[in-house]
Amino acid sequence: MCYLRPRAPRDTTRTLKGHPRAFKDTILTHSDQPRPLQSRASGALTGKVRVPGDKSISHRSLILGALSVGETRITGLLEGEDVLNTAKSMQALGAAVERTGDFAWRVRGVGVAGFAQPKAPLDFGNSGTGCRLVMGAVAGCPISAVFDGDTSLRTRPMRRIFDPLEKMGAKVIAVVEGGKLPLTLQGARDPLPITYKTPVASAQIKSAVLLAGLAAPGTTTVIESEASRDHTELMLKHFGADITSVMEGQHGRRITLVGQPELHGAAVVVPADPSSAAFPVVAALIAEGSDVVLSDVMTNPLRTGLFTTLREMGGAIEESEVRGDAGEPMASLRVRASKLRGVEVPPERAPSMIDEYLVLAVAASFAEGTTIMRGLHELRVKESDRLAATADMLRVNGVKVEISGDDLIVEGRGHVPGGGLVATHMDHRIAMSALVMGCASDQPVKVDDTAFIATSFPDFIPMMRSLGADFS
Ligand code: S3P
């Protein structure tokens, strides 16, 4: 069975270059009615699907397309709300962004440091990645822009981004208490190259500095003590930048970018998102008798900590059709229902699976034995406090769980009672994780609002139903 996408993205009334479905009329704040849903065990999940394009690569392809000279053609773009907000911001900054077909987009860029002053605030909705990467790109241009987002994004830390950007010559000229959104960023007229050691393993901080460094003369260096996802580095190289990355210490990297390159528009094929694949993968492992194939899943080792962990737990996940495009490897994953056992997940693995702990905690609840996930402090500053939210999701469904410092400890008993109502806290991954839990729990699991799933995986519900999930 091959899943066919049944509909265009919703909320797409604004006309852009004759493609009325390219953008939303207004950026959603999801003040519309919450959309609750219940997930009930349905037996085996079967079939072959392709989850949507990778969110990290989708944001970066639009931003680098906009900073290049000439045309960038993107296929397989994730048409989720987060990425559409980045597309809108690139348009507002002067690039021509056009939807040319299903998941196919064309960007005509303005060149490095070529952004124009936007006429209105840039609103990134729920997306930390879009907001933070665009801050970096704007920091190298002599313009000012207001950055804003929804109530979830307005609670998230931004000082970690504008601290290094200020060292490069940008200024934050209006910011509310605590360095949160909304804020006004004045880009540097003459940006300075810096050497910057990131205070936490964060691809968003690293990428913001590198994107600002594009406009600076000389060499910008980012040092990270634990390697975070390297899509910005790989894509910058693909667009013609002179950038190198070498090991630093046991787990870190030193990335060096030569500033003021001429970036040339390029073709980008966006592989399927491993962070979205995580949901059907775990659902297939826990729902007895399941056999599911996920095609074209990106297998960059800096993103696949979840698959490594699930295999250590005894999960049957086989790779085939291994290939690569623009430095990003991908493969088909065949996942079969498995008896899982508890494991200890080391803290240094966190950057390679930072968005996957919620759904790993679901797998751990169905495992036999204790799973200890170490070093999860960054989960507290995601779309919600995911450490607390994960523990709550498990507890209301009868799973024994404990937070100890930055560690999460889950007592797996081979089955999950279920029967709980899970609060999503404007967080797409909480909603999807809870629905996955319900695919195999003794009693159904309810979520209070599924609206935010559209930020990263607009067709999650129909795609899971196509595999046999019982969502009602
Ligand atoms: C992302 C980096 C990660 C991740 C986010 C996407 C990116 O955030 O959680 O969903 O595309 O660079 P941090 O950089 O804050 O770890």
Side-chain angles (χ1 to χ4, degrees):
M1 172 177 39
C2 202
Y3 176 77
L4 291 177
R5 190 168 189 277
R7 60 176 169 79
R10 61 191 182 83
D11 300 296
T12 49
T13 46
R14 183 164 179 168
T15 302
L16 181 87
K17 301 229 164 169
H19 290 276
R21 296 186 311 189
F23 287 101
K24 303 187 301 289
D25 186 28
T26 50
I27 293 178
L28 282 191
T29 51
H30 294 291
S31 52
D32 47 348
Q33 287 302 305
R35 276 172 255 155
L37 197 67
Q38 172 174 273
S39 170
R40 159 194 313 273
S42 62
L45 303 175
T46 52
K48 179 174 181 178
V49 292
R50 187 192 196 277
V51 301
D54 184 68
K55 185 148 72 74
S56 296
I57 293 183
S58 294
H59 285 296
R60 286 159 172 82
S61 64
L62 292 165
I63 296 168
L64 288 191
L67 289 172
S68 295
V69 173
E71 187 172 289
T72 288
R73 284 189 176 265
I74 309 164
T75 49
L77 189 88
L78 165 63
E79 294 177 340
E81 289 169 4
D82 281 7
V83 173
L84 294 180
N85 285 333
T86 293
K88 280 182 85 171
S89 76
M90 292 303 103
Q91 176 86 5
L93 290 162
V97 183
E98 206 177 338
R99 185 174 192 259
T100 55
D102 280 353
F103 318 111
W105 290 65
R106 178 166 56 211
V107 183
R108 287 202 186 85
V110 294
V112 166
F115 281 161
Q117 177 85 30
K119 293 190 177 66
L122 304 174
D123 191 334
F124 292 92
N126 198 248
S127 176
T129 308
C131 179
R132 289 162 168 162
L133 267 54
V134 176
M135 276 185 190
V138 164
C141 303
I143 58 166
S144 71
V146 179
F147 288 78
D148 205 355
D150 68 13
T151 46
S152 158
L153 191 53
R154 281 183 174 199
T155 65
R156 298 181 65 186
M158 293 297 157
R159 199 173 289 285
R160 52 170 62 191
I161 300 296
F162 63 72
D163 267 354
L165 299 181
E166 288 195 317
K167 290 188 203 314
M168 301 176 86
K171 284 192 173 48
V172 174
I173 48 182
V175 63
V176 297
E177 186 83 35
K180 308 264 166 80
L181 295 186
L183 63 79
T184 304
L185 186 70
Q186 170 72 61
R189 189 160 294 280
D190 297 304
L192 302 168
I194 58 168
T195 294
Y196 191 69
K197 191 167 183 346
T198 55
V200 286
S202 163
Q204 294 177 0
I205 302 176
K206 169 177 64 179
S207 301
V209 173
L210 292 173
L211 290 171
L214 281 173
T219 298
T220 292
T221 301
V222 180
I223 301 163
E224 38 183 17
S225 51
E226 285 182 277
S228 63
R229 64 192 70 192
D230 60 357
H231 309 304
T232 302
E233 297 91 301
L234 294 172
M235 203 181 288
L236 276 168
K237 189 167 264 177
H238 183 58
F239 277 71
D242 181 353
I243 182 164
T244 52
S245 174
V246 294
M247 292 292 288
E248 173 91 4
Q250 221 189 335
H251 305 293
R253 293 271 201 283
R254 169 182 287 261
I255 301 114
T256 310
L257 170 72
V258 178
Q260 301 185 333
E262 183 159 313
L263 298 182
H264 295 281
V268 179
V269 179
V270 185
D273 193 329
S275 299
S276 296
F279 301 104
V281 164
V282 171
L285 288 174
I286 62 177
E288 216 178 314
S290 296
D291 191 347
V292 167
V293 176
L294 297 145
S295 53
D296 304 337
V297 179
M298 188 237 288
T299 51
N300 180 324
L302 294 171
R303 290 289 299 282
T304 48
L306 175 74
F307 303 145
T308 306
T309 306
L310 291 171
R311 286 185 180 115
E312 288 172 1
M313 295 172 80
I317 305 174
E318 283 162 43
E319 279 183 22
S320 63
E321 298 174 75
V322 180
R323 61 202 188 283
D325 186 84
E328 297 286 5
M330 60 180 117
S332 285
L333 302 182
R334 180 177 179 198
V335 188
R336 278 168 296 157
S338 308
K339 288 250 170 291
L340 301 176
R341 57 183 173 271
V343 293
E344 185 165 336
V345 189
E348 63 273 12
R349 198 177 287 168
S352 69
M353 55 179 298
I354 194 65
D355 293 333
E356 279 72 74
Y357 283 100
L358 273 156
V359 79
L360 174 62
V362 172
S365 306
F366 285 90
E368 289 287 355
T370 306
T371 294
I372 306 176
M373 301 166 228
R374 298 216 185 269
L376 307 189
H377 48 94
E378 275 297 294
L379 290 195
R380 296 187 196 275
V381 291
K382 294 296 175 186
E383 285 83 332
S384 66
D385 176 346
R386 284 188 179 156
L387 199 49
T390 307
D392 290 347
M393 172 178 75
L394 267 48
R395 252 181 229 125
V396 294
N397 286 294
V399 179
K400 200 162 164 247
V401 56
E402 188 194 325
I403 297 172
S404 167
D406 290 336
D407 302 341
L408 186 72
I409 303 161
V410 179
E411 302 291 343
R413 282 186 293 158
H415 77 107
V416 169
L421 171 63
V422 174
T424 52
H425 301 288
M426 302 179 79
D427 189 329
H428 53 136
R429 298 198 206 279
I430 296 177
M432 290 186 277
S433 299
L435 292 170
V436 165
M437 179 181 259
C439 289
S441 53
D442 304 342
Q443 298 298 317
V445 172
K446 287 192 192 120
V447 295
D448 65 350
D449 190 7
T450 56
F452 283 85
I453 292 175
T455 61
S456 70
F457 197 160
D459 290 332
F460 172 76
I461 293 167
M463 190 181 283
M464 289 297 294
R465 282 184 177 140
S466 79
L467 294 172
D470 180 351
F471 294 165
S472 56

